Amino acid sequence: PQTANTLVLGPWRHGGWARGDGDALGNLDFGQKTSAFYREQIEFPFFMKHLKGVDVVMPRAWVFETGRNEWHKHEAWPPADGKGVNYYLNAGGSLSTSAPRAADPSADEYVADPGKPVPYLGYVNMGMRGDYMTEDQRFASSRPDVLVYETKALESDVRTLGPVKVRLQVSSSATDADFVVKLIDVYPGDAPNLRPQGDPRPANAVVMGGYQQLVRGEPFRAKFRRSMEKPEPLTPGKVETIEFEMPDIAHTFRPGHKIMVQVQSSWFPLVDRNPQKFMDIGKAADADFVKATHKIHRGSSVTLNVVP
C-alpha cells in the first residue's frame, strides 16, 4: 500500500496484508510478527502524524525484505544505488547474466492446451488460498507446458529491491497467447523442514529442501504488446518482442539458493483462459479454445534491480 508519502512493502496475502499476528505465511516463517510491527511502527505513527498533527518523520519507503526477513527504511524507491541486472533465459534451462550469442537462432518451445491449464496450486483446494504467493512451484516445473530456467547455486546474496522487468522474444503458432512469468527462489537441498501453523493439509511437515518459493508472478496477454487500447493479433511464426514490468519486490536470494524463472501460458484460475485466438474472449465458445505451440527465443531476459 502507498500512504501519502510512504510506500510500504511486506508479506502479502491475496488482497492485502497477512492477517493476524503470527510469524508464518503459508509455508514460510518470517521469524517475527510482521503484522504487529506494521500496526505499531508504521500505521500508528502515520495516523498520529496526519490525524493528530504529531511531528513524526517517516521514510519514503518502509520495506520488509523477505529472504533476510528484515524491515528497512529507504529515502528513495526504488533505492538510488540499485543497478539493473539482466538474467537471460539461455539454452539448456540456464538462467545467467551472460547474454547469448547474437546469432544464436535457438528457442525453447512448449504446447499450451487451454483445456489443461497450469493451475496456481499443486493440489486441490476449495476456494482461493490467500497465501498462494509463497507457494511451492515444484509441481509446475515438472509440467511439459512450463519452461524452467535457473542459475547455479549463489555464492553470495543477490538483493533485489524494486520492479522486475521482463523482455521476451516470442513466436507462436496461434494468433494470441498469454505469457506468465514467475520469479522463484529455489532453496538448497538441506534446508530444514517446517510445519507451518494452521496448515490444513495432513502432511507432518513441508519439505523445504529444494522448495521453489514463488516471489512474484505476472501474466501478459500478447495482443496488448503494443497498446492496451488497440490489441493486435500475433502473426503465426513471427518473432515478436513483449516487454512489461512485474510489481515491485523486496527479496534477497541467499547463498546456496538459486534464482529460477518459469514461463507458462496459463495460470488458472488467477487468469482467465485464453482461447489462443485473436478474439473477444468473453464471447469464446468451446470450439474456439485450441492448442498452440509457443517459443521463447534467445535474448529473452528478466531484469532485477540489484542493490548492495
Side-chain angles (χ1 to χ4, degrees):
Q2 189 158 357
T3 52
N5 294 322
T6 300
L7 172 73
V8 183
L9 294 177
W12 294 95
R13 280 188 183 273
H14 182 65
W17 283 88
R19 300 174 180 85
D21 291 328
D23 55 6
L25 177 61
N27 298 329
L28 303 188
D29 185 347
F30 295 118
Q32 58 181 284
K33 299 184 184 300
T34 55
S35 295
F37 184 97
Y38 170 70
R39 292 195 307 270
E40 296 167 8
Q41 302 299 322
I42 299 174
E43 191 172 41
F44 180 72
F46 171 82
F47 286 124
M48 291 298 289
K49 177 182 179 70
H50 292 282
L51 297 182
K52 296 290 188 178
V54 177
D55 185 16
V56 177
V57 177
M58 301 191 74
R60 177 68 182 91
W62 265 109
V63 174
F64 184 81
E65 191 175 314
T66 51
R68 287 187 174 184
N69 294 338
E70 299 171 345
W71 286 98
H72 291 280
K73 299 178 182 179
H74 297 275
E75 295 308 322
W77 190 262
D81 56 350
K83 177 183 178 182
V85 177
N86 296 328
Y87 285 83
Y88 293 94
L89 282 55
N90 286 333
S94 168
L95 186 67
S96 170
T97 56
S98 299
R101 292 182 296 106
D104 189 344
S106 65
D108 302 310
E109 67 178 59
Y110 59 99
V111 176
D113 182 357
K116 298 178 181 178
V118 181
Y120 82 114
L121 295 176
Y123 52 91
V124 176
N125 183 76
M126 297 299 292
M128 180 70 71
R129 281 193 67 92
D131 52 15
Y132 74 90
M133 281 298 294
T134 65
E135 271 292 334
D136 189 357
Q137 300 300 304
R138 279 178 284 196
F139 76 94
S141 63
S142 64
R143 290 177 60 111
D145 53 355
V146 177
L147 297 180
V148 179
Y149 305 87
E150 67 177 354
T151 65
K152 297 179 180 178
L154 301 174
E155 297 181 357
S156 59
D157 282 347
V158 175
R159 193 178 180 210
T160 59
L161 305 179
V164 179
K165 298 180 180 180
V166 176
R167 185 177 190 273
L168 298 180
Q169 298 283 81
V170 307
S171 63
S172 175
S173 64
T175 53
D176 193 20
D178 289 349
F179 292 95
V180 179
V181 177
K182 296 186 292 187
L183 179 66
I184 294 164
D185 185 337
V186 182
Y187 285 51
D190 59 356
N193 292 346
L194 296 176
R195 184 167 184 173
Q197 298 175 347
D199 191 337
R201 288 170 287 178
N204 292 329
V206 178
V207 177
M208 298 302 292
Y211 190 90
Q212 296 177 7
Q213 176 197 339
L214 181 61
V215 175
R216 183 64 78 204
E218 189 74 5
F220 192 89
R221 190 148 283 170
K223 65 183 177 183
F224 298 117
R225 63 196 180 280
R226 294 191 179 92
S227 168
M228 298 300 290
E229 293 77 21
K230 297 179 180 180
E232 298 179 25
L234 293 171
T235 299
K238 180 182 178 181
V239 179
E240 299 269 13
T241 299
I242 291 178
E243 295 181 295
F244 62 96
E245 276 194 6
M246 303 167 74
D248 292 10
I249 62 171
H251 184 78
T252 294
F253 297 88
R254 305 311 305 268
H257 290 228
K258 299 177 182 179
I259 303 173
M260 174 183 285
V261 169
Q262 292 182 0
V263 181
Q264 58 200 54
S265 286
S266 53
W267 206 13
F268 189 78
L270 297 181
V271 181
D272 62 326
R273 293 181 305 142
N274 191 329
Q276 306 188 126
K277 286 185 178 181
F278 181 72
M279 63 179 302
D280 181 347
I281 293 179
K283 298 179 180 179
D286 288 346
D288 292 316
F289 290 82
V290 296
K291 296 180 181 180
T293 299
H294 307 310
K295 294 183 179 182
I296 303 298
H297 297 260
R298 298 284 84 84
S300 299
S301 65
V302 171
T303 303
L304 304 180
N305 190 54
V306 178
V307 302

